[in-house]
């Protein structure tokens, strides 16, 4: 997307980038802030989308890159951001599988994402894609 962003920046039109790797000349950039995740919800993977929606709410009818919008966002973000730190206990594959079997026996039909949330809420750690693979293996999914 770098070429497209550089072209967009060169047009002189209003352009907004949420996240991104670096500044792009002519494009107003709002850096990702993982500390906003608790306020905006969801995973880090989709945080920029939720940041963009929140940015639109803070624009209150102003242009997307106006100083008023930037000020409203900055004030909200500064008051809201919290660094995310997790002190969760890592689990072996076997422990995760035992958890999945136990919880699905208690709650038939429970979703994979709800199970992962329950595991993490119990102070246990398991990366999302690893959990998905173990869940599929345990439940006989392909």
């Amino acid at each position: 997307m770098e070429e497209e962003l550089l072209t967009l920046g060169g047009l002189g039109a209003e352009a907004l980038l949420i996240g991104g790797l670096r500044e792009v000349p002519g494009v107003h950039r709002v850096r990702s802030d993982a500390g906003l995740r608790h306020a905006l919800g969801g995973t880090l993977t989709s945080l920029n989308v939720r940041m963009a929606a929140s940015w639109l709410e803070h624009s209150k009818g102003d242009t997307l890159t106006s100083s008023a919008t930037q000020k409203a966002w900055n004030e909200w973000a500064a008051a809201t951001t919290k660094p995310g730190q997790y002190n969760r206990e890592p689990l072996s594959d076997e422990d995760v599988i035992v958890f999945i079997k136990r919880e699905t026996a208690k709650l038939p039909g429970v979703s994979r994402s709800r199970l992962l949330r329950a595991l993490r809420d119990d102070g246990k750690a398991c990366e999302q894609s690893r959990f998905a693979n173990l869940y599929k293996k345990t439940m006989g999914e392909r």
Side-chain angles (χ1 to χ4, degrees):
M1 285 186 65
E2 186 171 9
E3 281 186 42
E4 290 88 351
L5 289 170
L6 289 169
T7 300
L8 180 63
L11 294 176
E14 182 179 34
L16 177 68
L17 172 64
I18 306 290
L21 183 61
R22 61 182 149 273
E23 303 298 323
V24 178
V27 176
H28 183 89
R29 178 174 173 232
V30 179
R31 293 175 180 261
S32 288
D33 183 351
L36 296 176
R37 184 172 155 220
H38 82 282
L40 299 175
T43 65
L44 285 177
T45 306
S46 59
L47 177 63
N48 289 346
V49 173
R50 291 186 313 284
M51 283 180 61
S54 183
W55 181 274
L56 290 173
E57 290 173 12
H58 286 88
S59 71
K60 298 179 183 167
D62 287 329
T63 61
L64 291 178
T65 59
S66 73
S67 59
T69 299
Q70 183 69 57
K71 182 177 187 259
W73 173 265
N74 289 346
E75 289 172 356
W76 175 80
T80 305
T81 193
K82 290 184 182 174
Q85 285 189 319
Y86 302 106
N87 293 322
R88 295 180 179 140
E89 174 190 346
L91 296 177
S92 68
D93 286 358
E94 293 77 25
D95 288 338
V96 174
I97 289 169
V98 166
F99 173 84
I100 292 169
K101 286 179 179 178
R102 184 183 68 233
E103 295 303 310
T104 56
K106 283 194 246 177
L107 299 166
V110 66
S111 72
R112 184 175 72 208
S113 59
R114 188 170 299 269
L115 279 180
L116 178 57
R117 171 56 32 222
L119 181 102
R120 289 175 172 172
D121 288 347
D122 280 346
K124 309 299 185 201
C126 187
E127 195 272 330
Q128 187 173 4
S129 64
R130 177 174 162 244
F131 187 87
N133 290 333
L134 292 170
Y135 178 89
K136 289 175 187 175
K137 176 182 169 186
T138 304
M139 303 305 288
E141 295 179 9
R142 292 179 183 238

